[in-house]
């Protein structure tokens, strides 16, 4: 999607990603990093093109925890009760990902992400839910 966007910088972060992708003017590639917090704090949008795997995705929860807007595939949102239009967008194709990148909605999507995390997926909420049912 990067060639279709103007004035954007993409950061690809993950173990082994530096063996797949090469950094360029608007692409920064990081392999293994000790702490992802600074990447989440500095991200305007988190793009999660996840196409396979089991269960809820940790990267989705992390992005919510840090209040990041998310554009993700159906698989990225598996198990999450989220309004795709408020979080950033559901995108299973390159065209859908490009169409969902909307700088105007970043602030509202960020607030929604953090609110959803605190309301439904935080450790405090999990503890309260367990206490009610045990």
């Amino acid at each position: 999607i990067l060639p279709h966007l103007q004035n954007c910088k993409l950061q690809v972060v993950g173990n082994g990603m530096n063996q797949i992708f090469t950094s360029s003017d608007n692409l920064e590639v990081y392999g293994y990093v000790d702490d992802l917090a600074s990447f989440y704090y500095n991200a305007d949008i988190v793009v999660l093109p996840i196409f396979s795997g089991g269960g809820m995705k940790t990267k989705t929860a992390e992005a919510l925890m840090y209040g990041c807007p998310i554009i993700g595939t159906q698989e990225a949102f598996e198990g999450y009760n989220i309004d795709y239009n408020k979080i950033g967008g559901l995108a299973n194709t390159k065209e859908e990902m490009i169409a969902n990148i909307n700088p105007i909605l970043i602030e509202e999507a960020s607030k929604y992400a953090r609110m959803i995390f605190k309301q439904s997926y935080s450790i405090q909420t999990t503890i309260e839910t367990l206490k009610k049912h045990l």
Side-chain angles (χ1 to χ4, degrees):
I1 67 171
L2 193 55
H4 301 279
L5 304 175
Q6 296 178 2
N7 302 319
C8 289
K9 177 175 63 174
L10 178 66
Q11 293 180 315
V12 176
V13 184
N15 194 19
M17 292 294 110
N18 55 333
Q19 296 172 8
I20 300 169
F21 300 101
T22 303
S23 293
S24 63
D25 290 340
N26 57 351
L27 176 64
E28 295 178 3
V29 182
Y30 301 87
Y32 175 82
V33 295
D34 288 324
D35 185 12
L36 290 170
S38 65
F39 291 97
Y40 284 116
Y41 279 128
N42 293 311
D44 291 323
I45 299 171
V46 172
V47 179
L48 297 174
I50 302 170
F51 293 100
S52 65
M56 296 174 78
K57 306 304 177 272
T58 305
K59 297 299 180 226
T60 305
E62 289 174 343
L64 292 172
M65 181 177 71
Y66 286 100
C68 296
I70 303 169
I71 297 172
T73 58
Q74 185 67 49
E75 186 65 33
F77 292 121
E78 186 66 35
Y80 291 91
N81 185 15
I82 289 176
D83 183 329
Y84 304 126
N85 295 318
K86 289 183 179 180
I87 196 68
L90 175 65
N92 290 304
T93 67
K94 172 178 71 173
E95 293 77 18
E96 290 171 342
M97 287 193 179
I98 294 166
N100 276 300
I101 294 176
N102 186 343
I104 296 168
L105 300 178
I106 288 174
E107 186 175 339
E108 289 303 313
S110 179
K111 290 177 189 174
Y112 177 77
R114 184 67 183 151
M115 183 271 304
I116 284 295
F117 177 79
K118 288 170 65 176
Q119 176 183 333
S120 301
Y121 305 107
S122 70
I123 190 67
Q124 292 84 4
T125 301
T126 302
I127 291 169
E128 290 172 18
T129 302
L130 287 172
K131 284 181 179 178
K132 284 182 193 175
H133 297 288
L134 296 177

mmCIF file of all heavy atoms in Angstrom, residues 59-108:
data_model
loop_
_atom_site.group_PDB
_atom_site.id
_atom_site.type_symbol
_atom_site.label_atom_id
_atom_site.label_comp_id
_atom_site.label_asym_id
_atom_site.label_seq_id
_atom_site.Cartn_x
_atom_site.Cartn_y
_atom_site.Cartn_z
ATOM 1 N N LYS A 59 -1.122 -8.602 19.060
ATOM 2 C CA LYS A 59 -0.793 -7.295 18.483
ATOM 3 C C LYS A 59 -2.018 -6.391 18.444
ATOM 4 O O LYS A 59 -1.913 -5.182 18.601
ATOM 5 C CB LYS A 59 -0.203 -7.437 17.073
ATOM 6 C CG LYS A 59 1.103 -8.183 17.037
ATOM 7 C CD LYS A 59 2.186 -7.486 17.841
ATOM 8 C CE LYS A 59 3.481 -8.245 17.780
ATOM 9 N NZ LYS A 59 4.130 -8.401 19.047
ATOM 10 N N THR A 60 -3.195 -6.968 18.253
ATOM 11 C CA THR A 60 -4.427 -6.180 18.266
ATOM 12 C C THR A 60 -4.668 -5.633 19.674
ATOM 13 O O THR A 60 -4.942 -4.443 19.840
ATOM 14 C CB THR A 60 -5.622 -7.031 17.806
ATOM 15 O OG1 THR A 60 -5.327 -7.579 16.521
ATOM 16 C CG2 THR A 60 -6.893 -6.209 17.738
ATOM 17 N N ALA A 61 -4.522 -6.474 20.681
ATOM 18 C CA ALA A 61 -4.704 -6.036 22.063
ATOM 19 C C ALA A 61 -3.684 -4.957 22.438
ATOM 20 O O ALA A 61 -4.020 -3.978 23.101
ATOM 21 C CB ALA A 61 -4.598 -7.216 23.019
ATOM 22 N N GLU A 62 -2.440 -5.146 22.009
ATOM 23 C CA GLU A 62 -1.402 -4.154 22.308
ATOM 24 C C GLU A 62 -1.735 -2.809 21.668
ATOM 25 O O GLU A 62 -1.615 -1.760 22.304
ATOM 26 C CB GLU A 62 -0.041 -4.628 21.815
ATOM 27 C CG GLU A 62 0.535 -5.767 22.618
ATOM 28 C CD GLU A 62 1.815 -6.325 22.016
ATOM 29 O OE1 GLU A 62 2.119 -6.082 20.829
ATOM 30 O OE2 GLU A 62 2.519 -7.034 22.753
ATOM 31 N N ALA A 63 -2.159 -2.832 20.415
ATOM 32 C CA ALA A 63 -2.516 -1.583 19.741
ATOM 33 C C ALA A 63 -3.678 -0.901 20.458
ATOM 34 O O ALA A 63 -3.665 0.320 20.647
ATOM 35 C CB ALA A 63 -2.861 -1.850 18.277
ATOM 36 N N LEU A 64 -4.666 -1.670 20.892
ATOM 37 C CA LEU A 64 -5.787 -1.101 21.650
ATOM 38 C C LEU A 64 -5.291 -0.498 22.957
ATOM 39 O O LEU A 64 -5.693 0.610 23.336
ATOM 40 C CB LEU A 64 -6.832 -2.174 21.946
ATOM 41 C CG LEU A 64 -7.618 -2.739 20.777
ATOM 42 C CD1 LEU A 64 -8.465 -3.916 21.239
ATOM 43 C CD2 LEU A 64 -8.469 -1.666 20.125
ATOM 44 N N MET A 65 -4.430 -1.220 23.662
ATOM 45 C CA MET A 65 -3.914 -0.764 24.948
ATOM 46 C C MET A 65 -3.214 0.588 24.816
ATOM 47 O O MET A 65 -3.343 1.451 25.674
ATOM 48 C CB MET A 65 -2.946 -1.795 25.522
ATOM 49 C CG MET A 65 -2.384 -1.415 26.883
ATOM 50 S SD MET A 65 -1.306 -2.693 27.571
ATOM 51 C CE MET A 65 0.122 -2.574 26.509
ATOM 52 N N TYR A 66 -2.469 0.771 23.732
ATOM 53 C CA TYR A 66 -1.750 2.019 23.521
ATOM 54 C C TYR A 66 -2.606 3.080 22.838
ATOM 55 O O TYR A 66 -2.117 4.162 22.519
ATOM 56 C CB TYR A 66 -0.472 1.766 22.711
ATOM 57 C CG TYR A 66 0.607 1.102 23.532
ATOM 58 C CD1 TYR A 66 0.835 -0.269 23.440
ATOM 59 C CD2 TYR A 66 1.386 1.832 24.419
ATOM 60 C CE1 TYR A 66 1.820 -0.884 24.201
ATOM 61 C CE2 TYR A 66 2.368 1.226 25.184
ATOM 62 C CZ TYR A 66 2.574 -0.129 25.068
ATOM 63 O OH TYR A 66 3.551 -0.742 25.828
ATOM 64 N N GLY A 67 -3.886 2.779 22.597
ATOM 65 C CA GLY A 67 -4.777 3.756 21.994
ATOM 66 C C GLY A 67 -4.481 4.032 20.543
ATOM 67 O O GLY A 67 -4.632 5.162 20.079
ATOM 68 N N CYS A 68 -4.089 3.012 19.805
ATOM 69 C CA CYS A 68 -3.753 3.178 18.383
ATOM 70 C C CYS A 68 -4.953 2.853 17.502
ATOM 71 O O CYS A 68 -5.573 1.806 17.680
ATOM 72 C CB CYS A 68 -2.613 2.247 17.989
ATOM 73 S SG CYS A 68 -1.059 2.580 18.813
ATOM 74 N N PRO A 69 -5.242 3.701 16.544
ATOM 75 C CA PRO A 69 -6.210 3.307 15.527
ATOM 76 C C PRO A 69 -5.673 2.080 14.790
ATOM 77 O O PRO A 69 -4.462 1.949 14.616
ATOM 78 C CB PRO A 69 -6.247 4.516 14.582
ATOM 79 C CG PRO A 69 -5.750 5.658 15.405
ATOM 80 C CD PRO A 69 -4.747 5.061 16.342
ATOM 81 N N ILE A 70 -6.577 1.197 14.368
ATOM 82 C CA ILE A 70 -6.159 -0.039 13.718
ATOM 83 C C ILE A 70 -6.892 -0.208 12.399
ATOM 84 O O ILE A 70 -8.112 -0.081 12.328
ATOM 85 C CB ILE A 70 -6.466 -1.270 14.592
ATOM 86 C CG1 ILE A 70 -5.805 -1.158 15.956
ATOM 87 C CG2 ILE A 70 -6.053 -2.557 13.879
ATOM 88 C CD1 ILE A 70 -6.285 -2.209 16.955
ATOM 89 N N ILE A 71 -6.124 -0.526 11.377
ATOM 90 C CA ILE A 71 -6.683 -1.014 10.123
ATOM 91 C C ILE A 71 -6.205 -2.454 10.041
ATOM 92 O O ILE A 71 -5.002 -2.713 10.008
ATOM 93 C CB ILE A 71 -6.210 -0.199 8.917
ATOM 94 C CG1 ILE A 71 -6.696 1.244 9.056
ATOM 95 C CG2 ILE A 71 -6.697 -0.833 7.613
ATOM 96 C CD1 ILE A 71 -6.150 2.191 8.027
ATOM 97 N N GLY A 72 -7.148 -3.378 10.061
ATOM 98 C CA GLY A 72 -6.764 -4.778 10.111
ATOM 99 C C GLY A 72 -7.663 -5.677 9.309
ATOM 100 O O GLY A 72 -8.773 -5.299 8.933
ATOM 101 N N THR A 73 -7.175 -6.860 9.087
ATOM 102 C CA THR A 73 -7.948 -7.888 8.399
ATOM 103 C C THR A 73 -8.950 -8.520 9.360
ATOM 104 O O THR A 73 -8.876 -8.320 10.583
ATOM 105 C CB THR A 73 -7.013 -8.989 7.872
ATOM 106 O OG1 THR A 73 -6.297 -9.529 8.990
ATOM 107 C CG2 THR A 73 -6.043 -8.458 6.831
ATOM 108 N N GLN A 74 -9.861 -9.286 8.819
ATOM 109 C CA GLN A 74 -10.828 -10.001 9.649
ATOM 110 C C GLN A 74 -10.100 -10.849 10.696
ATOM 111 O O GLN A 74 -10.499 -10.898 11.855
ATOM 112 C CB GLN A 74 -11.721 -10.893 8.775
ATOM 113 C CG GLN A 74 -12.834 -11.569 9.538
ATOM 114 C CD GLN A 74 -13.859 -10.566 10.039
ATOM 115 O OE1 GLN A 74 -14.324 -9.736 9.279
ATOM 116 N NE2 GLN A 74 -14.211 -10.650 11.298
ATOM 117 N N GLU A 75 -9.016 -11.495 10.296
ATOM 118 C CA GLU A 75 -8.243 -12.337 11.205
ATOM 119 C C GLU A 75 -7.632 -11.509 12.341
ATOM 120 O O GLU A 75 -7.552 -11.962 13.476
ATOM 121 C CB GLU A 75 -7.156 -13.089 10.445
ATOM 122 C CG GLU A 75 -6.383 -14.091 11.278
ATOM 123 C CD GLU A 75 -7.229 -15.259 11.771
ATOM 124 O OE1 GLU A 75 -8.164 -15.677 11.070
ATOM 125 O OE2 GLU A 75 -6.939 -15.762 12.877
ATOM 126 N N ALA A 76 -7.190 -10.294 12.058
ATOM 127 C CA ALA A 76 -6.600 -9.434 13.090
ATOM 128 C C ALA A 76 -7.609 -9.106 14.180
ATOM 129 O O ALA A 76 -7.249 -8.934 15.345
ATOM 130 C CB ALA A 76 -6.063 -8.150 12.464
ATOM 131 N N PHE A 77 -8.889 -9.023 13.805
ATOM 132 C CA PHE A 77 -9.942 -8.662 14.752
ATOM 133 C C PHE A 77 -10.687 -9.881 15.311
ATOM 134 O O PHE A 77 -11.667 -9.728 16.031
ATOM 135 C CB PHE A 77 -10.947 -7.712 14.092
ATOM 136 C CG PHE A 77 -10.397 -6.356 13.774
ATOM 137 C CD1 PHE A 77 -10.383 -5.887 12.472
ATOM 138 C CD2 PHE A 77 -9.887 -5.537 14.769
ATOM 139 C CE1 PHE A 77 -9.897 -4.621 12.166
ATOM 140 C CE2 PHE A 77 -9.385 -4.277 14.480
ATOM 141 C CZ PHE A 77 -9.395 -3.817 13.174
ATOM 142 N N GLU A 78 -10.222 -11.083 14.992
ATOM 143 C CA GLU A 78 -10.891 -12.310 15.444
ATOM 144 C C GLU A 78 -11.030 -12.320 16.964
ATOM 145 O O GLU A 78 -10.048 -12.166 17.692
ATOM 146 C CB GLU A 78 -10.101 -13.542 14.989
ATOM 147 C CG GLU A 78 -10.777 -14.853 15.283
ATOM 148 C CD GLU A 78 -12.059 -15.040 14.492
ATOM 149 O OE1 GLU A 78 -12.136 -14.593 13.340
ATOM 150 O OE2 GLU A 78 -12.995 -15.643 15.065
ATOM 151 N N GLY A 79 -12.262 -12.476 17.437
ATOM 152 C CA GLY A 79 -12.526 -12.547 18.867
ATOM 153 C C GLY A 79 -12.738 -11.204 19.539
ATOM 154 O O GLY A 79 -13.101 -11.148 20.716
ATOM 155 N N TYR A 80 -12.519 -10.114 18.842
ATOM 156 C CA TYR A 80 -12.701 -8.776 19.408
ATOM 157 C C TYR A 80 -14.064 -8.234 19.009
ATOM 158 O O TYR A 80 -14.476 -8.353 17.852
ATOM 159 C CB TYR A 80 -11.607 -7.818 18.922
ATOM 160 C CG TYR A 80 -10.253 -8.141 19.487
ATOM 161 C CD1 TYR A 80 -9.383 -8.992 18.814
ATOM 162 C CD2 TYR A 80 -9.840 -7.614 20.709
ATOM 163 C CE1 TYR A 80 -8.135 -9.303 19.337
ATOM 164 C CE2 TYR A 80 -8.603 -7.922 21.236
ATOM 165 C CZ TYR A 80 -7.762 -8.770 20.546
ATOM 166 O OH TYR A 80 -6.539 -9.075 21.062
ATOM 167 N N ASN A 81 -14.752 -7.619 19.948
ATOM 168 C CA ASN A 81 -16.036 -6.978 19.684
ATOM 169 C C ASN A 81 -15.759 -5.494 19.458
ATOM 170 O O ASN A 81 -15.706 -4.722 20.406
ATOM 171 C CB ASN A 81 -16.985 -7.197 20.864
ATOM 172 C CG ASN A 81 -18.365 -6.663 20.576
ATOM 173 O OD1 ASN A 81 -18.713 -6.387 19.433
ATOM 174 N ND2 ASN A 81 -19.153 -6.515 21.621
ATOM 175 N N ILE A 82 -15.559 -5.132 18.193
ATOM 176 C CA ILE A 82 -15.088 -3.797 17.838
ATOM 177 C C ILE A 82 -15.917 -3.258 16.684
ATOM 178 O O ILE A 82 -16.262 -3.987 15.761
ATOM 179 C CB ILE A 82 -13.596 -3.859 17.421
ATOM 180 C CG1 ILE A 82 -12.736 -4.139 18.642
ATOM 181 C CG2 ILE A 82 -13.147 -2.592 16.725
ATOM 182 C CD1 ILE A 82 -11.265 -4.307 18.340
ATOM 183 N N ASP A 83 -16.198 -1.970 16.731
ATOM 184 C CA ASP A 83 -16.825 -1.277 15.608
ATOM 185 C C ASP A 83 -15.708 -0.894 14.641
ATOM 186 O O ASP A 83 -14.914 -0.006 14.920
ATOM 187 C CB ASP A 83 -17.564 -0.038 16.104
ATOM 188 C CG ASP A 83 -18.309 0.695 15.002
ATOM 189 O OD1 ASP A 83 -17.855 0.668 13.830
ATOM 190 O OD2 ASP A 83 -19.334 1.319 15.318
ATOM 191 N N TYR A 84 -15.635 -1.574 13.517
ATOM 192 C CA TYR A 84 -14.547 -1.366 12.561
ATOM 193 C C TYR A 84 -14.470 0.082 12.080
ATOM 194 O O TYR A 84 -13.385 0.602 11.852
ATOM 195 C CB TYR A 84 -14.703 -2.280 11.340
ATOM 196 C CG TYR A 84 -14.797 -3.743 11.676
ATOM 197 C CD1 TYR A 84 -15.853 -4.508 11.210
ATOM 198 C CD2 TYR A 84 -13.817 -4.371 12.440
ATOM 199 C CE1 TYR A 84 -15.937 -5.863 11.496
ATOM 200 C CE2 TYR A 84 -13.901 -5.731 12.741
ATOM 201 C CZ TYR A 84 -14.963 -6.456 12.266
ATOM 202 O OH TYR A 84 -15.036 -7.788 12.556
ATOM 203 N N ASN A 85 -15.612 0.723 11.914
ATOM 204 C CA ASN A 85 -15.617 2.100 11.431
ATOM 205 C C ASN A 85 -15.055 3.073 12.454
ATOM 206 O O ASN A 85 -14.523 4.116 12.092
ATOM 207 C CB ASN A 85 -17.031 2.522 11.027
ATOM 208 C CG ASN A 85 -17.539 1.713 9.850
ATOM 209 O OD1 ASN A 85 -16.805 1.462 8.903
ATOM 210 N ND2 ASN A 85 -18.778 1.285 9.916
ATOM 211 N N LYS A 86 -15.177 2.748 13.727
ATOM 212 C CA LYS A 86 -14.670 3.642 14.775
ATOM 213 C C LYS A 86 -13.203 3.381 15.100
ATOM 214 O O LYS A 86 -12.510 4.275 15.574
ATOM 215 C CB LYS A 86 -15.501 3.488 16.047
ATOM 216 C CG LYS A 86 -16.888 4.056 15.934
ATOM 217 C CD LYS A 86 -17.620 3.931 17.253
ATOM 218 C CE LYS A 86 -19.014 4.508 17.165
ATOM 219 N NZ LYS A 86 -19.726 4.372 18.456
ATOM 220 N N ILE A 87 -12.726 2.170 14.877
ATOM 221 C CA ILE A 87 -11.348 1.818 15.244
ATOM 222 C C ILE A 87 -10.350 2.213 14.161
ATOM 223 O O ILE A 87 -9.184 2.431 14.428
ATOM 224 C CB ILE A 87 -11.219 0.309 15.583
ATOM 225 C CG1 ILE A 87 -9.927 0.021 16.334
ATOM 226 C CG2 ILE A 87 -11.291 -0.555 14.333
ATOM 227 C CD1 ILE A 87 -9.867 0.587 17.697
ATOM 228 N N GLY A 88 -10.793 2.282 12.930
ATOM 229 C CA GLY A 88 -9.909 2.582 11.807
ATOM 230 C C GLY A 88 -10.429 1.938 10.554
ATOM 231 O O GLY A 88 -10.680 2.593 9.557
ATOM 232 N N GLY A 89 -10.631 0.635 10.605
ATOM 233 C CA GLY A 89 -11.250 -0.015 9.467
ATOM 234 C C GLY A 89 -10.913 -1.477 9.315
ATOM 235 O O GLY A 89 -9.843 -1.936 9.694
ATOM 236 N N LEU A 90 -11.856 -2.202 8.754
ATOM 237 C CA LEU A 90 -11.669 -3.598 8.369
ATOM 238 C C LEU A 90 -11.191 -3.597 6.927
ATOM 239 O O LEU A 90 -11.800 -2.959 6.062
ATOM 240 C CB LEU A 90 -12.981 -4.371 8.483
ATOM 241 C CG LEU A 90 -12.966 -5.820 7.999
ATOM 242 C CD1 LEU A 90 -12.036 -6.667 8.865
ATOM 243 C CD2 LEU A 90 -14.371 -6.384 8.009
ATOM 244 N N ALA A 91 -10.092 -4.268 6.658
ATOM 245 C CA ALA A 91 -9.511 -4.254 5.314
ATOM 246 C C ALA A 91 -8.859 -5.598 5.020
ATOM 247 O O ALA A 91 -7.864 -5.943 5.642
ATOM 248 C CB ALA A 91 -8.491 -3.127 5.204
ATOM 249 N N ASN A 92 -9.426 -6.320 4.092
ATOM 250 C CA ASN A 92 -8.870 -7.614 3.714
ATOM 251 C C ASN A 92 -8.103 -7.574 2.397
ATOM 252 O O ASN A 92 -7.527 -8.568 1.991
ATOM 253 C CB ASN A 92 -9.989 -8.657 3.647
ATOM 254 C CG ASN A 92 -10.517 -8.977 5.028
ATOM 255 O OD1 ASN A 92 -9.762 -9.362 5.911
ATOM 256 N ND2 ASN A 92 -11.805 -8.796 5.229
ATOM 257 N N THR A 93 -8.119 -6.412 1.742
ATOM 258 C CA THR A 93 -7.394 -6.251 0.485
ATOM 259 C C THR A 93 -6.558 -4.972 0.533
ATOM 260 O O THR A 93 -6.790 -4.096 1.365
ATOM 261 C CB THR A 93 -8.350 -6.146 -0.718
ATOM 262 O OG1 THR A 93 -9.091 -4.920 -0.606
ATOM 263 C CG2 THR A 93 -9.284 -7.336 -0.801
ATOM 264 N N LYS A 94 -5.617 -4.878 -0.376
ATOM 265 C CA LYS A 94 -4.785 -3.679 -0.489
ATOM 266 C C LYS A 94 -5.668 -2.446 -0.715
ATOM 267 O O LYS A 94 -5.478 -1.403 -0.082
ATOM 268 C CB LYS A 94 -3.795 -3.851 -1.636
ATOM 269 C CG LYS A 94 -2.995 -2.615 -1.979
ATOM 270 C CD LYS A 94 -2.003 -2.858 -3.089
ATOM 271 C CE LYS A 94 -2.694 -3.030 -4.407
ATOM 272 N NZ LYS A 94 -1.789 -3.105 -5.553
ATOM 273 N N GLU A 95 -6.646 -2.565 -1.577
ATOM 274 C CA GLU A 95 -7.528 -1.443 -1.897
ATOM 275 C C GLU A 95 -8.317 -0.991 -0.674
ATOM 276 O O GLU A 95 -8.491 0.212 -0.450
ATOM 277 C CB GLU A 95 -8.479 -1.820 -3.046
ATOM 278 C CG GLU A 95 -7.786 -2.034 -4.380
ATOM 279 C CD GLU A 95 -7.059 -3.379 -4.513
ATOM 280 O OE1 GLU A 95 -7.345 -4.316 -3.730
ATOM 281 O OE2 GLU A 95 -6.187 -3.478 -5.389
ATOM 282 N N GLU A 96 -8.798 -1.941 0.120
ATOM 283 C CA GLU A 96 -9.542 -1.598 1.337
ATOM 284 C C GLU A 96 -8.631 -0.914 2.353
ATOM 285 O O GLU A 96 -9.045 0.026 3.032
ATOM 286 C CB GLU A 96 -10.178 -2.847 1.947
ATOM 287 C CG GLU A 96 -11.316 -3.408 1.127
ATOM 288 C CD GLU A 96 -11.806 -4.762 1.623
ATOM 289 O OE1 GLU A 96 -11.088 -5.451 2.378
ATOM 290 O OE2 GLU A 96 -12.922 -5.132 1.230
ATOM 291 N N MET A 97 -7.379 -1.373 2.456
ATOM 292 C CA MET A 97 -6.442 -0.741 3.389
ATOM 293 C C MET A 97 -6.181 0.711 2.982
ATOM 294 O O MET A 97 -6.225 1.610 3.826
ATOM 295 C CB MET A 97 -5.141 -1.519 3.476
ATOM 296 C CG MET A 97 -5.311 -2.802 4.232
ATOM 297 S SD MET A 97 -3.755 -3.552 4.683
ATOM 298 C CE MET A 97 -4.362 -4.987 5.552
ATOM 299 N N ILE A 98 -5.936 0.940 1.722
ATOM 300 C CA ILE A 98 -5.699 2.305 1.231
ATOM 301 C C ILE A 98 -6.921 3.174 1.493
ATOM 302 O O ILE A 98 -6.795 4.305 1.979
ATOM 303 C CB ILE A 98 -5.343 2.278 -0.275
ATOM 304 C CG1 ILE A 98 -4.000 1.582 -0.477
ATOM 305 C CG2 ILE A 98 -5.321 3.693 -0.848
ATOM 306 C CD1 ILE A 98 -3.717 1.195 -1.921
ATOM 307 N N ALA A 99 -8.109 2.668 1.211
ATOM 308 C CA ALA A 99 -9.342 3.437 1.390
ATOM 309 C C ALA A 99 -9.612 3.777 2.854
ATOM 310 O O ALA A 99 -10.227 4.804 3.154
ATOM 311 C CB ALA A 99 -10.522 2.661 0.808
ATOM 312 N N ASN A 100 -9.148 2.943 3.784
ATOM 313 C CA ASN A 100 -9.428 3.157 5.209
ATOM 314 C C ASN A 100 -8.455 4.116 5.890
ATOM 315 O O ASN A 100 -8.705 4.528 7.024
ATOM 316 C CB ASN A 100 -9.433 1.824 5.957
ATOM 317 C CG ASN A 100 -10.767 1.137 5.857
ATOM 318 O OD1 ASN A 100 -11.780 1.656 6.281
ATOM 319 N ND2 ASN A 100 -10.764 -0.042 5.266
ATOM 320 N N ILE A 101 -7.357 4.451 5.273
ATOM 321 C CA ILE A 101 -6.408 5.368 5.905
ATOM 322 C C ILE A 101 -6.963 6.776 5.785
ATOM 323 O O ILE A 101 -7.022 7.352 4.702
ATOM 324 C CB ILE A 101 -5.003 5.242 5.279
ATOM 325 C CG1 ILE A 101 -4.449 3.856 5.588
ATOM 326 C CG2 ILE A 101 -4.079 6.338 5.820
ATOM 327 C CD1 ILE A 101 -3.120 3.551 4.949
ATOM 328 N N ASN A 102 -7.400 7.299 6.922
ATOM 329 C CA ASN A 102 -8.046 8.604 6.963
ATOM 330 C C ASN A 102 -7.463 9.427 8.109
ATOM 331 O O ASN A 102 -7.862 9.250 9.260
ATOM 332 C CB ASN A 102 -9.556 8.435 7.138
ATOM 333 C CG ASN A 102 -10.304 9.740 7.042
ATOM 334 O OD1 ASN A 102 -9.724 10.816 7.156
ATOM 335 N ND2 ASN A 102 -11.605 9.647 6.840
ATOM 336 N N PRO A 103 -6.533 10.320 7.816
ATOM 337 C CA PRO A 103 -5.889 11.108 8.876
ATOM 338 C C PRO A 103 -6.863 11.925 9.713
ATOM 339 O O PRO A 103 -6.601 12.198 10.880
ATOM 340 C CB PRO A 103 -4.939 12.037 8.101
ATOM 341 C CG PRO A 103 -4.721 11.376 6.799
ATOM 342 C CD PRO A 103 -5.980 10.613 6.501
ATOM 343 N N ILE A 104 -8.002 12.272 9.152
ATOM 344 C CA ILE A 104 -8.984 13.080 9.879
ATOM 345 C C ILE A 104 -9.561 12.310 11.066
ATOM 346 O O ILE A 104 -9.882 12.886 12.099
ATOM 347 C CB ILE A 104 -10.104 13.541 8.923
ATOM 348 C CG1 ILE A 104 -9.506 14.460 7.853
ATOM 349 C CG2 ILE A 104 -11.230 14.235 9.666
ATOM 350 C CD1 ILE A 104 -10.431 14.763 6.698
ATOM 351 N N LEU A 105 -9.668 10.985 10.947
ATOM 352 C CA LEU A 105 -10.299 10.173 11.985
ATOM 353 C C LEU A 105 -9.332 9.628 13.028
ATOM 354 O O LEU A 105 -9.756 8.941 13.956
ATOM 355 C CB LEU A 105 -11.051 9.010 11.334
ATOM 356 C CG LEU A 105 -12.155 9.385 10.353
ATOM 357 C CD1 LEU A 105 -12.774 8.138 9.747
ATOM 358 C CD2 LEU A 105 -13.224 10.233 11.030
ATOM 359 N N ILE A 106 -8.057 9.937 12.910
ATOM 360 C CA ILE A 106 -7.053 9.349 13.793
ATOM 361 C C ILE A 106 -7.328 9.641 15.267
ATOM 362 O O ILE A 106 -7.292 8.740 16.102
ATOM 363 C CB ILE A 106 -5.632 9.790 13.394
ATOM 364 C CG1 ILE A 106 -5.239 9.101 12.084
ATOM 365 C CG2 ILE A 106 -4.620 9.495 14.490
ATOM 366 C CD1 ILE A 106 -3.921 9.568 11.513
ATOM 367 N N GLU A 107 -7.612 10.879 15.613
ATOM 368 C CA GLU A 107 -7.808 11.227 17.028
ATOM 369 C C GLU A 107 -9.011 10.505 17.628
ATOM 370 O O GLU A 107 -8.929 9.955 18.721
ATOM 371 C CB GLU A 107 -7.970 12.738 17.193
ATOM 372 C CG GLU A 107 -8.030 13.153 18.641
ATOM 373 C CD GLU A 107 -8.076 14.667 18.825
ATOM 374 O OE1 GLU A 107 -7.678 15.414 17.914
ATOM 375 O OE2 GLU A 107 -8.524 15.087 19.901
ATOM 376 N N GLU A 108 -10.126 10.475 16.911
ATOM 377 C CA GLU A 108 -11.317 9.792 17.417
ATOM 378 C C GLU A 108 -11.110 8.287 17.503
ATOM 379 O O GLU A 108 -11.534 7.652 18.458
ATOM 380 C CB GLU A 108 -12.544 10.124 16.559
ATOM 381 C CG GLU A 108 -13.036 11.538 16.741
ATOM 382 C CD GLU A 108 -13.371 11.890 18.191
ATOM 383 O OE1 GLU A 108 -14.059 11.101 18.868
ATOM 384 O OE2 GLU A 108 -12.909 12.952 18.648
#
